[in-house]
Amino acid sequence: MVRLMRSCMQSILKLLNSVIGMVGLGMILYAVWLIRVWQREMGDFPFEDDSDNPAPWFIYTFLGLGVTLCVITCVGHVAAETANGCCLYLYMLFVFVLFMLEAGVSADVFLNRDWEKDFPKDPTGSFNQFKDFIRSNFEICKWMGLSIVSVQGLSFLLALILKALGPHQYCDSDDEFTPDRVPLLNNAAIPPPYVVGSPVVGSRNDAWSIRINEKVNQSSR
């Protein structure tokens, strides 16, 4: 029962990690598209040292978050497959830090009226486009954000339960053999014992008659 429960939780954790990985890949692709736009407009890549133009922090942020989510997904898959305590602890630490970062940014946006001043100026203009897109599609973006946060919370909870269940038990004791293995042992052919002496020649009927004759001779004496 414990093995079945552990296998189900491992499968669900892998599925949730796949969702997080897809979000990370989407953010990486969006950052690559922004890099392409920057290179077309400015004539160079945003990672080159150019003191004349400010750094496009919005591209850096999206690219870094996408890579971080992909790394968390890889760690989560390894932790779900092995159910190792160190991997599970590391995965839960990554998810917790990411969750706290998201909570801090959300609290700053909703509680601070001048939250836009906390972010530096974006030379690409992508930050303003991103804000306009969220405002025009607020309901969809709200449910998508809640879904991502829920996936992260469920992943953290499943990792915690897997840590409580413990790792796989690969070695079985003698009392844990399944019943379908017992007949194979019972029906195993037992080799006959070795007998020291001259071999017996003849059939079983001949041996029986010899024993009867010996008993008759002994009684007649």
Side-chain angles (χ1 to χ4, degrees), residues 68-84:
T68 302
L69 289 178
C70 290
V71 171
I72 292 175
T73 301
C74 294
V75 175
H77 273 77
V78 173
E81 182 66 26
T82 61
N84 183 267

PDB file of all heavy atoms in Angstrom, residues 68-84:
ATOM      1  N   THR A  68      15.764  29.412 -14.138  1.00  0.00           N
ATOM      2  CA  THR A  68      15.562  28.934 -12.768  1.00  0.00           C
ATOM      3  C   THR A  68      14.435  27.914 -12.689  1.00  0.00           C
ATOM      4  O   THR A  68      14.560  26.880 -12.010  1.00  0.00           O
ATOM      5  CB  THR A  68      15.256  30.123 -11.843  1.00  0.00           C
ATOM      6  OG1 THR A  68      16.329  31.065 -11.908  1.00  0.00           O
ATOM      7  CG2 THR A  68      15.077  29.659 -10.407  1.00  0.00           C
ATOM      8  N   LEU A  69      13.349  28.178 -13.381  1.00  0.00           N
ATOM      9  CA  LEU A  69      12.230  27.216 -13.378  1.00  0.00           C
ATOM     10  C   LEU A  69      12.631  25.900 -14.028  1.00  0.00           C
ATOM     11  O   LEU A  69      12.215  24.822 -13.568  1.00  0.00           O
ATOM     12  CB  LEU A  69      11.032  27.828 -14.096  1.00  0.00           C
ATOM     13  CG  LEU A  69      10.311  28.975 -13.379  1.00  0.00           C
ATOM     14  CD1 LEU A  69       9.178  29.514 -14.239  1.00  0.00           C
ATOM     15  CD2 LEU A  69       9.781  28.524 -12.029  1.00  0.00           C
ATOM     16  N   CYS A  70      13.430  25.956 -15.080  1.00  0.00           N
ATOM     17  CA  CYS A  70      13.892  24.710 -15.718  1.00  0.00           C
ATOM     18  C   CYS A  70      14.813  23.921 -14.791  1.00  0.00           C
ATOM     19  O   CYS A  70      14.737  22.691 -14.717  1.00  0.00           O
ATOM     20  CB  CYS A  70      14.598  25.035 -17.033  1.00  0.00           C
ATOM     21  SG  CYS A  70      13.506  25.633 -18.339  1.00  0.00           S
ATOM     22  N   VAL A  71      15.685  24.635 -14.063  1.00  0.00           N
ATOM     23  CA  VAL A  71      16.562  23.950 -13.098  1.00  0.00           C
ATOM     24  C   VAL A  71      15.739  23.324 -11.978  1.00  0.00           C
ATOM     25  O   VAL A  71      15.988  22.174 -11.563  1.00  0.00           O
ATOM     26  CB  VAL A  71      17.600  24.945 -12.543  1.00  0.00           C
ATOM     27  CG1 VAL A  71      18.378  24.313 -11.392  1.00  0.00           C
ATOM     28  CG2 VAL A  71      18.555  25.385 -13.636  1.00  0.00           C
ATOM     29  N   ILE A  72      14.729  24.042 -11.485  1.00  0.00           N
ATOM     30  CA  ILE A  72      13.854  23.488 -10.452  1.00  0.00           C
ATOM     31  C   ILE A  72      13.113  22.256 -10.968  1.00  0.00           C
ATOM     32  O   ILE A  72      12.929  21.271 -10.239  1.00  0.00           O
ATOM     33  CB  ILE A  72      12.871  24.568  -9.968  1.00  0.00           C
ATOM     34  CG1 ILE A  72      13.612  25.664  -9.209  1.00  0.00           C
ATOM     35  CG2 ILE A  72      11.790  23.967  -9.071  1.00  0.00           C
ATOM     36  CD1 ILE A  72      12.732  26.822  -8.800  1.00  0.00           C
ATOM     37  N   THR A  73      12.707  22.288 -12.232  1.00  0.00           N
ATOM     38  CA  THR A  73      12.032  21.128 -12.815  1.00  0.00           C
ATOM     39  C   THR A  73      12.948  19.915 -12.868  1.00  0.00           C
ATOM     40  O   THR A  73      12.535  18.798 -12.543  1.00  0.00           O
ATOM     41  CB  THR A  73      11.542  21.479 -14.229  1.00  0.00           C
ATOM     42  OG1 THR A  73      10.651  22.593 -14.161  1.00  0.00           O
ATOM     43  CG2 THR A  73      10.823  20.301 -14.862  1.00  0.00           C
ATOM     44  N   CYS A  74      14.196  20.117 -13.260  1.00  0.00           N
ATOM     45  CA  CYS A  74      15.150  18.996 -13.312  1.00  0.00           C
ATOM     46  C   CYS A  74      15.393  18.423 -11.917  1.00  0.00           C
ATOM     47  O   CYS A  74      15.394  17.193 -11.730  1.00  0.00           O
ATOM     48  CB  CYS A  74      16.460  19.463 -13.930  1.00  0.00           C
ATOM     49  SG  CYS A  74      16.338  19.947 -15.666  1.00  0.00           S
ATOM     50  N   VAL A  75      15.591  19.296 -10.942  1.00  0.00           N
ATOM     51  CA  VAL A  75      15.798  18.831  -9.566  1.00  0.00           C
ATOM     52  C   VAL A  75      14.560  18.102  -9.053  1.00  0.00           C
ATOM     53  O   VAL A  75      14.651  17.065  -8.376  1.00  0.00           O
ATOM     54  CB  VAL A  75      16.162  20.014  -8.652  1.00  0.00           C
ATOM     55  CG1 VAL A  75      16.253  19.560  -7.203  1.00  0.00           C
ATOM     56  CG2 VAL A  75      17.476  20.631  -9.083  1.00  0.00           C
ATOM     57  N   GLY A  76      13.380  18.612  -9.404  1.00  0.00           N
ATOM     58  CA  GLY A  76      12.146  17.954  -8.975  1.00  0.00           C
ATOM     59  C   GLY A  76      11.957  16.584  -9.596  1.00  0.00           C
ATOM     60  O   GLY A  76      11.479  15.664  -8.920  1.00  0.00           O
ATOM     61  N   HIS A  77      12.322  16.416 -10.862  1.00  0.00           N
ATOM     62  CA  HIS A  77      12.216  15.102 -11.489  1.00  0.00           C
ATOM     63  C   HIS A  77      13.172  14.100 -10.843  1.00  0.00           C
ATOM     64  O   HIS A  77      12.813  12.933 -10.616  1.00  0.00           O
ATOM     65  CB  HIS A  77      12.492  15.209 -12.988  1.00  0.00           C
ATOM     66  CG  HIS A  77      11.276  15.530 -13.797  1.00  0.00           C
ATOM     67  ND1 HIS A  77      10.741  16.793 -13.871  1.00  0.00           N
ATOM     68  CD2 HIS A  77      10.475  14.733 -14.561  1.00  0.00           C
ATOM     69  CE1 HIS A  77       9.677  16.768 -14.661  1.00  0.00           C
ATOM     70  NE2 HIS A  77       9.482  15.536 -15.084  1.00  0.00           N
ATOM     71  N   VAL A  78      14.391  14.548 -10.553  1.00  0.00           N
ATOM     72  CA  VAL A  78      15.350  13.658  -9.884  1.00  0.00           C
ATOM     73  C   VAL A  78      14.852  13.301  -8.483  1.00  0.00           C
ATOM     74  O   VAL A  78      14.929  12.136  -8.052  1.00  0.00           O
ATOM     75  CB  VAL A  78      16.733  14.331  -9.824  1.00  0.00           C
ATOM     76  CG1 VAL A  78      17.692  13.494  -8.986  1.00  0.00           C
ATOM     77  CG2 VAL A  78      17.291  14.514 -11.221  1.00  0.00           C
ATOM     78  N   ALA A  79      14.314  14.281  -7.762  1.00  0.00           N
ATOM     79  CA  ALA A  79      13.809  14.023  -6.415  1.00  0.00           C
ATOM     80  C   ALA A  79      12.601  13.096  -6.445  1.00  0.00           C
ATOM     81  O   ALA A  79      12.454  12.220  -5.585  1.00  0.00           O
ATOM     82  CB  ALA A  79      13.439  15.344  -5.738  1.00  0.00           C
ATOM     83  N   ALA A  80      11.720  13.266  -7.438  1.00  0.00           N
ATOM     84  CA  ALA A  80      10.544  12.407  -7.533  1.00  0.00           C
ATOM     85  C   ALA A  80      10.914  10.993  -7.928  1.00  0.00           C
ATOM     86  O   ALA A  80      10.287  10.025  -7.483  1.00  0.00           O
ATOM     87  CB  ALA A  80       9.552  12.992  -8.538  1.00  0.00           C
ATOM     88  N   GLU A  81      11.935  10.830  -8.748  1.00  0.00           N
ATOM     89  CA  GLU A  81      12.329   9.497  -9.196  1.00  0.00           C
ATOM     90  C   GLU A  81      13.054   8.726  -8.103  1.00  0.00           C
ATOM     91  O   GLU A  81      12.817   7.523  -7.918  1.00  0.00           O
ATOM     92  CB  GLU A  81      13.221   9.626 -10.432  1.00  0.00           C
ATOM     93  CG  GLU A  81      13.669   8.304 -11.028  1.00  0.00           C
ATOM     94  CD  GLU A  81      12.520   7.509 -11.608  1.00  0.00           C
ATOM     95  OE1 GLU A  81      11.497   8.112 -12.001  1.00  0.00           O
ATOM     96  OE2 GLU A  81      12.623   6.260 -11.666  1.00  0.00           O
ATOM     97  N   THR A  82      13.943   9.374  -7.393  1.00  0.00           N
ATOM     98  CA  THR A  82      14.750   8.682  -6.390  1.00  0.00           C
ATOM     99  C   THR A  82      14.164   8.731  -4.989  1.00  0.00           C
ATOM    100  O   THR A  82      14.498   7.898  -4.160  1.00  0.00           O
ATOM    101  CB  THR A  82      16.161   9.289  -6.362  1.00  0.00           C
ATOM    102  OG1 THR A  82      16.070  10.683  -6.010  1.00  0.00           O
ATOM    103  CG2 THR A  82      16.829   9.175  -7.724  1.00  0.00           C
ATOM    104  N   ALA A  83      13.305   9.721  -4.724  1.00  0.00           N
ATOM    105  CA  ALA A  83      12.754   9.942  -3.377  1.00  0.00           C
ATOM    106  C   ALA A  83      13.875  10.085  -2.347  1.00  0.00           C
ATOM    107  O   ALA A  83      13.731   9.696  -1.195  1.00  0.00           O
ATOM    108  CB  ALA A  83      11.804   8.812  -2.987  1.00  0.00           C
ATOM    109  N   ASN A  84      14.980  10.679  -2.785  1.00  0.00           N
ATOM    110  CA  ASN A  84      16.124  10.893  -1.903  1.00  0.00           C
ATOM    111  C   ASN A  84      15.881  12.100  -1.010  1.00  0.00           C
ATOM    112  O   ASN A  84      15.329  13.114  -1.457  1.00  0.00           O
ATOM    113  CB  ASN A  84      17.387  11.090  -2.748  1.00  0.00           C
ATOM    114  CG  ASN A  84      18.631  11.245  -1.900  1.00  0.00           C
ATOM    115  OD1 ASN A  84      19.018  12.351  -1.571  1.00  0.00           O
ATOM    116  ND2 ASN A  84      19.246  10.133  -1.535  1.00  0.00           N
TER     117      ASN A  84
END
